[in-house]
Amino acid sequence: MIELLQSSDYAVACCDGAEGMLRLPDKSIKLIYGSPPYPNAERDYGVWKSSEYIDKMTPFLNAAVLKLRDDGFIVINVKANREKSTSKASSKRSLVVEKLAILMEEEWGLSCVDIEIWVKENPVPTGLRVACQDAYEQNLWFSKSPKWTINLDAIRRPYESHSIKTYEEYEYKPRSNGLTYVRKNKRIKPHPIGALPRNVISGGVSAKIGEHQATQPIYLPDKYIKATTEEGDLVVDPWMGSGTTGYAALSLKRKFIGFDIVDSYVKTAENCFKEFIQGMVIGNEQKSSQT
Ligand SMILES: C[S@@+](CC[C@H](N)C(=O)[O-])C[C@H]1O[C@@H](n2cnc3c(N)ncnc32)[C@H](O)[C@@H]1O
């Protein structure tokens, strides 16, 4: 599969994602980004019960620590479930996602960069009466190494008008730790390429694409690919689905390998990548004929 990447920018296979990753050379992946089946979510690709969730994730995390480069990262997008209510108990929120995050550090030796929150601007109404409406998912972002480097400049965001105004009006003095500014006697300028990124991502959920039930918006993988990889680095999605991660990776000139157990998803994703690469080749040919 890695040999395939010498002639192509991507490779896909219909198989279990943990087994697929085990076929790759050790320490070859810069970023594993993906969204496994969510605990208890009933989808046409099956149900990963919250009671079995850690067991289901175990082979993926075992493979991940072997196959990630020492400077590699893993980001798992997941949504917590609620347990069914009974006559004696309300529908409580499961903590299996938090348990997974703790085990990623304690059992797999990964270091938590952050648990980021994806706020969904157009969440599906749940009709819940025992808690507030559900409108977020978590992105468990871990580094293989306890000391890591991320490219925050690649994911800076536009300043909001009120912070530009603050920069214009205020003068600051650095605190004794040299890191933060508190008193007002030094003018600082906004960063030329934007404000520091936040650990909250807001946006709409994707419209359903093709037959897949859980297609992600591209801005999710896009953020982590930009922050943790460079052009030519290998990105892997072990639960590829419709191929959103691959599309984001190829658009950013990274190499991509994806796995999924549903053959029709793999075919759809592969067709999408083929069309994308052909489009790029035609675009490049047109550019060179114009120069
Ligand atoms: C939440 S969806 C991923 C959606 C994807 N991020 C997208 O944008 O289309 C989870 C995917 O995991 C796949 N899957 C389930 N069990 C798997 C396994 N053991 N190995 C690989 N993929 C699996 C499902 O077929 C499904 O496509």
Side-chain angles (χ1 to χ4, degrees), residues 15-17 35-37 45 48 60 212 214-216 238-244 260-262 265:
C15 65
D16 173 78
S35 187
Y45 43 79
W48 286 19
F60 288 90
H212 201 281
T215 305
Q216 281 210 327
W239 311 278
M240 176 176 61
S242 62
T244 318
D260 202 287
I261 42 161
V262 179
Y265 299 160

Side-chain angles (χ1 to χ4, degrees), residues 10-233:
Y10 67 87
V12 293
C14 179
C15 65
D16 173 78
E19 284 170 19
M21 283 197 286
L22 287 176
R23 286 191 234 138
L24 306 179
D26 290 355
K27 301 191 181 193
S28 57
I29 309 173
K30 185 70 206 293
L31 171 67
I32 296 171
Y33 177 91
S35 187
Y38 297 163
N40 278 6
E42 287 185 20
R43 301 283 189 220
D44 49 17
Y45 43 79
V47 185
W48 286 19
K49 287 195 195 137
S50 61
S51 55
E52 304 162 349
Y53 206 68
I54 303 298
D55 290 344
K56 290 278 191 191
M57 288 298 292
T58 292
F60 288 90
L61 289 163
N62 288 343
V65 289
L66 273 179
K67 303 302 167 179
L68 277 175
R69 284 166 38 174
D70 288 336
D71 60 352
F73 294 87
I74 177 166
V75 181
I76 298 177
N77 159 258
V78 67
K79 179 168 126 43
N81 63 294
R82 289 189 164 271
E83 302 297 346
K84 281 210 168 78
S85 61
T86 64
S87 56
K88 294 209 172 100
S90 299
S91 161
K92 69 173 179 181
R93 181 198 188 278
S94 155
L95 293 174
V96 72
V97 171
E98 285 71 14
K99 186 169 173 184
L100 177 66
I102 290 168
L103 290 176
M104 285 172 76
E105 193 159 280
E106 289 182 353
E107 295 289 319
W108 282 281
L110 299 161
S111 298
C112 186
V113 177
D114 211 339
I115 296 181
E116 300 207 331
I117 300 295
W118 170 31
V119 178
K120 296 189 271 191
E121 285 168 359
N122 54 341
V124 179
T126 57
L128 260 185
R129 293 288 184 273
V130 291
C132 297
Q133 290 297 295
D134 194 8
Y136 77 90
E137 297 189 6
Q138 285 155 287
N139 293 337
L140 314 182
W141 183 1
F142 283 74
S143 161
K144 180 164 172 186
S145 166
K147 179 136 176 86
W148 63 82
T149 310
I150 54 176
N151 185 359
L152 290 181
D153 282 349
I155 52 170
R156 281 179 181 270
R157 63 197 164 86
Y159 283 99
E160 283 155 32
S161 54
H162 61 82
S163 39
I164 291 280
K165 206 162 173 297
T166 312
Y167 273 114
E168 281 164 0
E169 288 173 1
Y170 277 45
E171 293 189 343
Y172 299 87
K173 182 179 178 193
R175 270 186 214 266
S176 53
N177 67 8
L179 297 174
T180 49
Y181 294 85
V182 273
R183 280 210 261 120
K184 305 174 184 174
N185 68 356
K186 182 176 181 272
R187 189 167 289 278
I188 56 171
K189 287 201 165 80
H191 194 283
I193 56 172
L196 282 169
R198 292 191 174 134
N199 62 0
V200 173
I201 307 173
S202 301
V205 290
S206 278
K208 195 172 161 208
I209 298 180
E211 58 175 291
H212 201 281
Q213 292 178 302
T215 305
Q216 281 210 327
I218 198 161
Y219 58 78
L220 289 177
D222 190 78
K223 172 177 183 179
Y224 301 102
I225 294 170
K226 284 179 175 160
T228 63
T229 68
E230 292 179 9
E231 283 188 18
D233 283 344

Side-chain angles (χ1 to χ4, degrees), residues 226-263:
K226 284 179 175 160
T228 63
T229 68
E230 292 179 9
E231 283 188 18
D233 283 344
L234 176 60
V235 177
V236 169
D237 186 342
W239 311 278
M240 176 176 61
S242 62
T244 318
T245 309
Y247 193 83
L250 295 174
S251 309
L252 293 164
K253 301 197 171 67
R254 275 61 164 172
K255 302 220 170 210
F256 175 74
I257 294 179
F259 306 102
D260 202 287
I261 42 161
V262 179
D263 190 46

